[in-house]
Amino acid sequence: MNSTTWHSLDRGKVTLKKACKDFGDILGADPSVVETAMDQAQRSLRPNISLVQIIRDIKASNPDLKLYVMSNISRASLLQHLRG
């Protein structure tokens, strides 16, 4: 989605529950259906283990090196994924 709500969710400015309500309003769907779909989408994500290892190796080769890694996953979704 490309909407103010989506951008706000990515930035952590609204909760997932609020975003799902807004998405439901936009799509004409029940917010619980949207929330289930969002949850299923998040559960499908898998870390790229080889990329993570490369980043660790680069960092280990030069501890003073500053790395900035970007992703298209929101902070809340990442934390949820890391918690399992």
Side-chain angles (χ1 to χ4, degrees), residues 3 10 19-20 24 30 35 38 41 48-50 53 57 66 77 82:
S3 68
D10 262 356
C20 288
D30 188 284
E35 194 165 356
M38 295 284 285
N48 183 330
I49 301 300
S50 60
Q53 188 58 52
D57 292 346
K66 302 287 186 204
S77 295
L82 292 174

Side-chain angles (χ1 to χ4, degrees), residues 13-25:
K13 305 253 184 214
V14 298
T15 64
L16 180 60
K17 189 160 280 304
K18 167 75 169 109
C20 288
K21 183 198 176 308
D22 290 353
F23 295 149
D25 291 346

